[in-house]
Amino acid sequence: VWNGRKLGSRTELEAKGAAVSSVSLSADGTRALAGGYDLRLRLWDVENKKCLWTSDEQPDVIEAVVLSADASFGVSTSPGLLSDSDKQLGKWDFPKGELGHTFGGYSHHPTAIALTADDSLLAAGDMEGGVQIFQAQDGKKIQQYSLHKDPISTVAFSLDGQFLFSGDEQGRGILWDLDKKKMVWLENSHPGQLVGARFDALGETLFTAARDGMVRTWKVGNGMRNEHFPMSDQRLICIAASADGR
């Protein structure tokens, strides 16, 4: 975990023999939820470098996790010892780490998840290009769509929760207006797999990144591409943006 305000300052959190497959931080950076290739979840106290909770072994590699802003709960793929756990998401309630409920209704393996800034909604994409939106607290499904033809590789909410962007492994991106329950635009945004997307604080600009080494910016309202930032021949694996979008 790197401290962005103190260049070079970092905290290493290590569980012996547990390579990390996914990680998410709380809003204040004091807690981290990590999924491991050892099939276990861990909740960390970042400042004290202490593991607060370790799950039982899960049925599969935990491909995606997301931690709520206040670290009161987290969501992961492959929850619990359920017969169809590879097609479920689980909500873990902290500090005890109990499995609260699952987000079901999937016929295919979930691959990407995101929470709104207020932790009220959860979006999840799957292997077949479907995206579903749930109420985070009770797991009730409220919207779904299936316009992607390839596995979903990233999902992201705007800060106010009005818009949801979904991107797939072939570089296609779709922006949805959740209030109006309709698609705003669809773009073949990159020639390669999308690995991340972020909105600026005003919800006016969307940043996307792909394995082709390119970061692009888009106008949320009309899908017009503003700029692109070539990253040489490097493969990108993730993206982040400052709150002011600068």
Side-chain angles (χ1 to χ4, degrees):
V1 181
W2 292 90
N3 187 331
R5 295 180 179 179
K6 296 179 181 179
L7 190 61
S9 176
R10 68 178 183 178
T11 301
E12 293 185 7
L13 309 174
E14 183 177 359
K16 188 174 293 186
V20 173
S21 56
S22 52
V23 66
S24 178
L25 283 169
S26 61
D28 61 6
T30 62
R31 297 289 184 269
L33 179 64
Y37 283 103
D38 65 346
L39 312 185
R40 297 180 188 275
L41 287 154
R42 290 176 174 83
L43 181 70
W44 292 88
D45 178 332
V46 175
E47 183 177 1
N48 296 308
K49 303 181 184 180
K50 180 180 179 181
C51 183
L52 302 175
W53 168 81
T54 302
S55 74
D56 293 332
E57 189 172 291
Q58 304 300 297
D60 202 352
V61 173
I62 301 149
E63 293 188 5
V65 298
V66 62
L67 185 61
S68 65
D70 62 0
S72 63
F73 71 92
V75 179
S76 76
T77 59
S78 301
L81 299 176
L82 306 171
S83 60
D84 60 348
S85 62
D86 64 326
K87 298 173 184 175
Q88 299 272 353
L89 297 166
K91 177 177 176 285
W92 303 89
D93 294 323
F94 299 123
K96 291 185 178 181
E98 297 174 339
L99 183 60
H101 61 257
T102 59
F103 303 83
Y106 276 96
S107 56
H108 303 285
H109 183 64
T111 53
I113 55 179
L115 284 166
T116 50
D118 64 1
D119 296 325
S120 63
L121 299 179
L122 174 80
D126 64 37
M127 283 291 293
E128 294 298 311
V131 177
Q132 300 189 38
I133 298 98
F134 302 90
Q135 293 178 169
Q137 290 302 321
D138 60 12
K140 180 181 178 181
K141 183 168 64 178
I142 58 174
Q143 291 188 45
Q144 67 179 35
Y145 58 86
S146 301
L147 290 182
H148 289 273
K149 299 178 181 179
D150 298 284
I152 303 298
S153 52
T154 185
V155 288
F157 284 103
S158 61
L159 188 62
D160 62 4
Q162 178 181 354
F163 297 105
L164 174 69
F165 177 83
S166 57
D168 64 37
E169 291 188 357
Q170 293 302 313
R172 173 178 287 189
I174 299 178
L175 184 73
W176 298 90
D177 186 323
L178 300 183
D179 291 344
K180 297 179 180 179
K181 298 183 180 181
K182 70 175 187 179
M183 182 176 70
V184 180
W185 48 261
L186 181 154
E187 292 286 345
N188 291 313
S189 51
H190 291 263
Q193 178 184 344
L194 281 158
V195 297
R198 293 291 184 274
F199 290 85
D200 71 349
L202 297 177
E204 297 175 350
T205 302
L206 173 71
F207 301 83
T208 60
R211 289 197 186 276
D212 64 358
M214 189 73 69
V215 175
R216 293 189 166 114
T217 67
W218 309 83
K219 286 188 176 181
V220 170
N222 57 19
M224 183 178 295
R225 190 170 69 194
N226 290 336
E227 300 179 71
H228 66 279
F229 307 95
M231 304 297 287
S232 185
D233 58 351
Q234 302 299 311
R235 290 182 66 194
L236 293 175
I237 59 172
C238 60
I239 185 176
S242 61
D244 61 7
R246 298 177 65 184

